[in-house]
Amino acid sequence: MIAAGQLIFSVAIFLFCFGALTFFTKRSAVVALMGIELMLNGVNLVLVQAGQIYKNAEGTSLVLFVTLVAAAEAALALSIFVILYRKYGTLTLENFRSLKG
Amino acid sequence: MNQATDLIAGAPTVFMWVASFFAIFFALIVFVSSNPISCAVALMGTLFSTAALYFSLGNFFVGAIQILVYAGAIAVLFVFIVMLLDLKPQKLKNLPGRFPYFIFSGLVAGLLALFLFRTIDLVPKGTEDTSASLLSATQYAQYFLSQYQVPFQAAGLLVFGAILGAIVLARGHLGKKERS
Amino acid sequence: MTDVLNIVEAPLSWIILLPAAGALLNGLFRLKPMLNGLLATTLCFSAFILSILQFLKFPEASKLVDPGYLWFQAGHVKAQMGFELTPFMSVMLLIITGVGTLIHLYATSYMSHDKSQARFFSYLNLFVTSMLVLALSSDLIGVFLGWEGVGVCSYLLIGFWFEEDKNARAGMKAFITNRVGDLGFLVALFVAFAYFGTSSVSGIMEWIADPGRAAALPVWVLTVFALAIFWAACGKSAQIPLYIWLPDAMAGPTPVSALIHAATMVTSGILVIVRLWPIFATQTEVLTVIFWVALSTALLAALMALTQRDLKKVLAYSTVSQLGFMFAALGAGAPTAAFFHVVTHACFKALLFLTAGSVIHGMHDEKDIFKMGGLRKKMPWSHLAYLVGCVAIAGFPFTSGFFSKDLILTKVFESRGVLGYGLLLLAAMLTSFYMFRSYFLTFSSTARSHEAEHAHESSAMMIVPLMLLSLLSLLVGWLEIPHMWGHLQYFSHWVESSGAKAVEGHEVEAATEWILMGIATVASLASAFFAYVKYKKGPVTSSENFAWKLSFNKFYVDEIYDSFILKPFRKIGTSLSVWIDEYGVNGTLHGSFASYRITGQLASIFHTGSVQSYALLMLLGLLIVWGVVNVW
């Protein structure tokens, strides 16, 4: 039987990998952003668990900051998406290829 | 409290199992669904499950923050945006080279999972130290104002910048035409 | 005569420095016409005075040395730029500087209307310097330096009027053919360093003299050394197969032909061999090779000279032929005879060339003897000089040529028997014939062209050297008379006291010698008479048959060389250049460009413009690094 720590760590891995896959494969920008949020969540889980293992407050502190940054980033990113949508009428990532070449 | 070490080293409780299952389940929904609103709601579900996992680990503070900020603000924001822009379900047109790309990214993610799983054994099991590691919010606050003061203030600045950015973005192209 | 060497120190380097200064000064300063020439002549003359002073030291001293300075030393390879004079070389020095001075004087007037006199006299002095270095050096490396120097000056002077393509090419031909010969000199140098441990001439002679060491050498070393030196001599002294440059060298001004291609440079091969004679004396097979090559050269060149129309070309082939005589003497084991002929030939050949120059000058640069004629009345002094020269070269009794040629013929008879003697006698007869042919066609009968009718005699500055050389051509021979006539054998004395003793042969008795002398005299007189009969009325063109064609076209030797040797080289050269230039250099350049381009094209495959794929690749990269770090 596995220990709790191992289970939680596995969950974190799954979250991270699914988040990555979502980011790589989705065509809509908003959904890709959701993938990023998933990844961050996986990381948070690991951090909290680490805090429990090492018995200090660092894990929790880091989690707090990650959450904070994720919030700010999500807010701004979504604002930008709104503007993009207004300008181009679509959020499909295939259309945004100006970095090509 | 001996509970602390047990929580990591001991067998998972049923609560943990259920929470874990739901976390992964909802994450899968996010990945698979083609409807953006389903994705957003499933994301919210994942966030709640993760919060449950935090609670099961005994870190109530972070769990609360998770529900308040992540599930309560960010996920809501996502839902809001999806509804605002009225994003429709994406029809999967088979673009050339789409399928190999899927396979490739699946492989890479799988490789990543492989690497990560190999490190599970490296996770320490914790010690026999039974001293309290679960702190209350008051104690965390004290930490933030003493040891982690600088990151705390930096985070504040960051949020401030974000607010400014949001305002600029919101007003941006309207600035010249109207004043509101 | 005791064997004690009395080696005396002497300031020999001054003899070389004077013409060197002349070369430098003439090169730097362009003076009024004729002043450059006079400067050059004066410096050459002072070198001559110094040479006389050294010569006078001789019976007391056995060898004069000037230690010079160490040029370079690498391991046990040492090049000491020192100078030494043996009796025979000091006589040669007199010839080089003396005849050189006369030629410089002549050239001052001959070139007085040329537009680059300063350059000419600079080169001429440079030539004299190099020749002196060649003659005086005590080390073979110094000799080689002079050897190369005269080659370079020869190139510069032959191609002096280089604006005309033909002259430049003649210069190149001379230099390149010389270079092929120089390979022999280098091989000899290598052998000297490898087996004798030194390249200094006296060092080598000492080394050889030790019987133990000489016996310990592998049997081929000395033979290779001697053959290599002979090959180098073939290049410089125009023997088969490397004589082809000498006739073409007539493209240069006439004083150049006189100095370089008659008197000095072409004899340097013989000089080196005489200096190294102790080695050659022991190598009988090499001497045989030398003899037969020389004999063939003498005959072949004489046959080619029979039909030439260019006055200078006749003299050029004559030079090749006479050089063959000198080498034949060496091949017969008689260095005295060879050197004796070197000196007499220098006198009368320089005389002939200078006179030819005077004639050509008077004929307004017309060289074709078929267009001359009747110049006896118009150019009396030149006529007299040429007659003396012809008489000397043909070996009429009591001229210098008579004594030297006779000595050679006798020695050849002694060592190579009737066959060698007969063939060489034939060459002598042909010499007499073609020289008198040229004489009669040039000076007798009546003028056959406009230039000939209006020919004028040359200036005093040109006539005086001619007269002096005529005197020498008549008198020098008396310095080495046959034993049966008396005891004036200066040349033998000089050569033998310099270490070159003749190879022991069976001496002929006096009676045989009288007979040989008689045969030779009658033969040359008869040939001259025959030429008189045939050509006194002018050119004879009726007998232009196949033999004539062969002779006139120089036996097609140049053409054969061109198609068998030069063409393949040119082909190899062009194809290599195409290969290396187009495929190698261009290919490398284009290849490197292509590699950059292809790399860029490959890389841009990944630039899809999609942020998601970028993120994917970043993750992949991270995983690779992680994997590599862990595996290692």
Side-chain angles (χ1 to χ4, degrees), chain B residues 83-104:
Chain B
M83 288 184 168
L84 175 68
L85 301 180
D86 198 15
L87 297 175
K88 293 289 195 302
Q90 295 272 307
K91 298 231 172 34
L92 279 175
K93 289 183 218 151
N94 275 337
L95 295 169
R98 194 77 188 157
F99 193 60
Y101 179 72
F102 277 19
I103 301 289
F104 183 54

Side-chain angles (χ1 to χ4, degrees), chain C residues 312-380:
Chain C
K312 283 174 73 171
K313 284 253 164 62
V314 174
L315 295 176
Y317 284 111
S318 164
T319 305
V320 176
S321 183
Q322 293 298 306
L323 288 169
F325 273 81
M326 296 175 217
F327 277 97
L330 287 176
T336 306
F339 183 60
F340 187 28
H341 202 59
V342 164
V343 173
T344 58
H345 175 263
C347 298
F348 57 68
K349 199 37 93 36
L351 171 65
L352 284 167
F353 265 112
L354 292 184
T355 316
S358 165
V359 166
I360 292 173
H361 210 58
M363 289 277 294
H364 299 288
D365 291 329
E366 175 58 62
K367 299 198 194 94
D368 187 347
I369 57 182
F370 279 24
K371 297 216 177 78
M372 299 182 188
L375 292 179
R376 192 171 64 190
K377 303 259 169 30
K378 305 256 169 34
M379 306 176 71

Side-chain angles (χ1 to χ4, degrees), chain C residues 422-435:
Chain C
L423 289 171
L424 204 59
L425 183 65
L426 177 63
M429 285 170 63
L430 289 172
T431 308
S432 171
F433 180 76
Y434 66 67
M435 285 311 300

Side-chain angles (χ1 to χ4, degrees), chain C residues 468-489:
Chain C
L468 286 173
L469 284 171
S470 309
L471 270 175
L472 281 176
S473 302
L474 292 173
L475 296 177
V476 167
W478 288 98
L479 289 171
E480 178 84 10
I481 60 179
H483 292 273
M484 43 197 203
W485 289 17
H487 286 290
L488 285 178
Q489 276 100 28

Side-chain angles (χ1 to χ4, degrees), chain B residues 61 136-146:
Chain B
F61 179 65
S136 65
T138 326
Q139 283 164 314
Y140 276 125
Q142 277 173 340
Y143 267 120
F144 282 129
L145 289 173
S146 57

Side-chain angles (χ1 to χ4, degrees), chain C residues 448-527:
Chain C
R448 288 188 287 281
S449 72
H450 177 75
E451 288 87 356
E453 284 188 33
H454 298 282
H456 60 274
E457 185 58 273
S458 310
S459 66
M461 215 186 263
M462 283 165 71
I463 300 292
V464 166
L466 292 183
M467 290 301 117
L468 286 173
L469 284 171
S470 309
L471 270 175
L472 281 176
S473 302
L474 292 173
L475 296 177
V476 167
W478 288 98
L479 289 171
E480 178 84 10
I481 60 179
H483 292 273
M484 43 197 203
W485 289 17
H487 286 290
L488 285 178
Q489 276 100 28
Y490 284 103
F491 275 91
S492 308
H493 172 72
W494 289 327
V495 171
E496 281 171 20
S497 62
S498 308
K501 297 206 175 9
V503 170
E504 294 297 325
H506 37 277
E507 296 264 339
V508 290
E509 317 114 19
T512 322
E513 212 176 323
W514 277 109
I515 297 177
L516 292 175
M517 199 184 295
I519 295 177
T521 315
V522 166
S524 72
L525 284 171
S527 310

Side-chain angles (χ1 to χ4, degrees), chain C residues 287-338:
Chain C
L287 288 180
T288 314
V289 168
I290 294 180
F291 179 73
W292 288 103
V293 168
L295 189 56
S296 333
T297 311
L299 267 177
L300 188 69
L303 287 172
M304 289 183 192
L306 289 177
T307 54
Q308 298 300 319
R309 285 172 64 152
D310 182 335
L311 181 59
K312 283 174 73 171
K313 284 253 164 62
V314 174
L315 295 176
Y317 284 111
S318 164
T319 305
V320 176
S321 183
Q322 293 298 306
L323 288 169
F325 273 81
M326 296 175 217
F327 277 97
L330 287 176
T336 306

